[in-house]
Amino acid sequence: MTPSACRWCGIDQRAHFQQWKPPVGWHTYAPPTQGQIKARVIARRTARTTTGSAQ
């Protein structure tokens, strides 16, 4: 998931169109909050370092 993906469903803006996600329901792309962006960046970095050290 990219850090700038939809705040509700995590789909990138270019591929989003309209999506269904409980409890939001049908929605269009909504930019993520700063907290979501930070959490996504940290998760990606953690995943990269944990899989990189296992090789």
Side-chain angles (χ1 to χ4, degrees):
M1 177 183 322
T2 61
S4 61
C6 178
R7 76 182 297 168
W8 305 117
C9 62
I11 297 175
D12 287 330
Q13 184 175 8
R14 286 182 154 204
H16 196 283
F17 304 108
Q18 199 174 51
Q19 300 291 325
W20 171 262
K21 175 78 175 179
V24 182
W26 287 109
H27 67 282
T28 56
Y29 174 83
T33 64
Q34 289 298 313
Q36 285 176 315
I37 293 171
K38 183 177 181 179
R40 291 172 181 176
V41 168
I42 291 169
R44 284 173 53 148
R45 187 178 305 142
T46 302
R48 203 174 314 144
T49 57
T50 55
T51 54
S53 63
Q55 294 175 343

